[in-house]
Amino acid sequence: MTMLTDTAPMDDARAKRNVAVLVAAQAFLGSQITMIFVIGGLAGQMLTPHPCLATLPISLIVFGSMTTAPWLSTVMQRYGRRTGFVIGALGGALGSVIGAVGLATGNFWIFLLGSFLTGSYMSAQGFYRFAAADTASEGFRPKAISYVMAGGLISALIGPQLVKVTTDLFVVPFLGTYLVALAINLIGIGLFFFLDIPKPAAAKKGPEGGRTRRQMLRDPVIVTAIICAMVAYALMNLVMTSTPLAVVGCGFTTGNAADVVSLHVIAMFAPSFFTGHLINRFGVERVVAAGLLILGAGGAVALSGVALGNFFIALALLGVGWNFGFIGATTMLASAHSAEERGRIQGLNDAIVFGCVTVASLASGGLMNCSGGDVVAGWTAVNLAMAPLLALAGGALIWLVLKPKPAI
């Protein structure tokens, strides 16, 4: 197989083939994450010795992703994307096996270990969007990232359906779901052998090796991209985690809650088919700004009432806002570093982003259950908590836009 060097011109025919592989991986392998996010809390509630720890398995998946991102990015920098993605899928397979053992033996702590290892797959999945940009021209790059993210729409439809048919396959609830997740990882590994992404040049010392992490964190574009991605993802997780509790607590059914979350997930990924086009037409800063405004609008709708329609509209806006904010921030970051620097900054970016998402997932339950006397007060606290983070991201974006551009 012919390999490109970092100095070779971008070949969008090659990029499109890579995007097709990554979309398939996002759709097929990514379905395990939606499966486990649906049942993780329910399985945790079944196993935990303390009811307040029921959602800890979900938090540990995100924590596992955060701690995996820095070293997995370094592996990809040294050995290539394919190696990193295979490691991630193997980590997901191991996590599925250990999670199944935890369920079969009724051991909550073993189950938590499996959740943590599942986070290594989630971390690898997070790099699909960067891999899509590796062989793309500047004009195709936003579209490549968007198309790969759009693959999540398929996984969002596949995952819940697999949960329905696997939950009660065995006497132990959810055991079948984890065994199917194991099969998904082992089969899905084969997709990565169709990738044709060149290994980056070996990092060199001195100026030819690119900037250090500390130097890159002084770059206004990189800092703004990290802040906006962090805020978009953390706020989405903060509100989504509490939504089923709020919907059911306000007197609606579990089925209603599932419908609200399903619409939210569709809204997260469906705009990806045109987000890249919007970035090319209007500029990345405007698309990220639109995402932040839409996130704020979702919070305002949630605060205006607790009718079922409010939940549907608020969560749909939350999904679209996440899409614009996160894809826009990813595009911004991908254009702000060299090939030699990508292993350093992409791993650091995802560690920061998923670190904040971990905090958000833990804070969501606390705000919902411990900040007032009833469900409405808790739901209000969750949505009010969006305001300071939106102000942070908005302020960073305004600072970037108003900052004088260096003379060429």
Side-chain angles (χ1 to χ4, degrees):
M1 184 179 292
T2 303
M3 301 297 286
L4 288 176
T5 65
D6 288 320
T7 58
M10 291 295 185
D11 178 1
D12 280 342
R14 174 174 287 189
K16 290 174 183 177
R17 290 196 299 272
N18 288 327
V19 165
V21 173
L22 292 166
V23 168
Q26 184 86 288
F28 183 67
L29 279 153
S31 64
Q32 69 179 292
I33 294 298
T34 55
M35 291 166 62
I36 292 175
F37 267 71
V38 169
I39 67 168
L42 296 173
Q45 188 174 40
M46 180 180 72
L47 295 175
T48 180
H50 305 290
C52 59
L53 299 179
T55 59
L56 188 56
I58 302 299
S59 297
L60 277 180
I61 292 174
V62 182
F63 181 71
S65 179
M66 177 195 75
T67 54
T68 300
W71 66 259
L72 189 60
S73 182
T74 301
V75 168
M76 292 184 190
Q77 179 73 29
R78 182 172 299 177
Y79 300 107
R81 295 291 190 190
R82 180 186 298 149
T83 300
F85 292 153
V86 169
I87 290 173
L90 290 173
L94 183 59
S96 299
V97 169
I98 295 176
V101 171
L103 284 167
T105 60
N107 190 306
F108 183 60
W109 309 110
I110 292 177
F111 185 70
L112 289 181
L113 176 61
S115 297
F116 175 78
L117 291 171
T118 297
S120 63
Y121 168 72
M122 185 176 175
S123 177
Q125 182 185 9
F127 288 105
Y128 291 175
R129 68 194 196 277
F130 291 122
D134 286 348
T135 54
S137 66
E138 184 176 354
F140 183 59
R141 188 177 298 138
K143 297 177 185 178
I145 294 170
S146 292
Y147 294 151
V148 171
M149 296 296 291
L153 177 62
I154 304 173
S155 69
L157 297 174
I158 294 173
Q161 298 307 312
L162 288 175
V163 169
K164 290 179 182 178
V165 300
T166 59
T167 295
D168 298 317
L169 279 178
F170 298 95
V171 174
V172 178
F174 314 120
L175 179 60
T177 306
Y178 277 81
L179 294 178
V180 168
L182 168 63
I184 287 172
N185 280 291
L186 295 179
I187 295 170
I189 284 176
L191 288 169
F192 300 125
F193 291 94
F194 293 95
L195 282 176
D196 187 10
I197 299 176
K199 295 179 183 178
K204 302 175 183 178
K205 295 182 179 180
E208 292 184 2
R211 296 166 292 177
T212 66
R213 290 183 180 87
R214 181 172 296 182
Q215 288 171 330
M216 284 187 280
L217 288 176
R218 296 186 189 130
D219 184 322
V221 176
I222 289 176
V223 170
T224 302
I226 291 175
I227 290 173
C228 291
M230 172 188 78
V231 168
Y233 217 129
L235 291 184
M236 184 276 292
N237 188 272
L238 174 77
V239 178
M240 184 182 68
T241 300
S242 290
T243 295
L245 297 174
V247 172
V248 174
C250 288
F252 302 106
T253 67
T254 302
N256 293 142
D259 290 339
V260 170
V261 173
S262 294
L263 178 62
H264 165 69
V265 175
I266 291 171
M268 285 175 64
F269 294 108
S272 298
F273 292 105
F274 56 82
T275 305
H277 296 277
L278 293 177
I279 291 172
N280 280 338
R281 181 170 181 178
F282 298 106
V284 67
E285 293 88 356
R286 290 180 180 176
V287 171
V288 173
L292 297 177
L293 290 172
I294 294 169
L295 285 169
V301 171
L303 290 169
S304 67
V306 290
L308 190 58
N310 289 79
F311 286 112
F312 274 111
I313 295 171
L315 269 292
L317 290 171
L318 187 75
V320 175
W322 172 85
N323 183 282
F324 285 7
F326 191 64
I327 290 180
T330 298
T331 302
M332 194 182 297
L333 185 72
S335 65
H337 61 77
S338 67
E340 292 82 8
E341 296 167 346
R342 77 185 187 196
R344 278 168 247 152
I345 195 59
Q346 290 175 7
L348 179 61
N349 172 80
D350 277 17
I352 293 172
V353 169
F354 287 109
C356 291
V357 173
T358 301
V359 173
S361 68
L362 291 171
S364 183
L367 288 168
M368 189 69 204
N369 296 325
C370 306
S371 57
D374 58 21
V375 172
V376 175
W379 182 239
T380 298
V382 167
N383 286 278
L384 286 176
M386 296 175 69
L389 290 175
L390 286 172
L392 171 64
L397 197 59
I398 292 170
W399 167 69
L400 177 64
V401 171
L402 297 181
K403 187 177 177 62
K405 302 296 186 293
I408 299 176

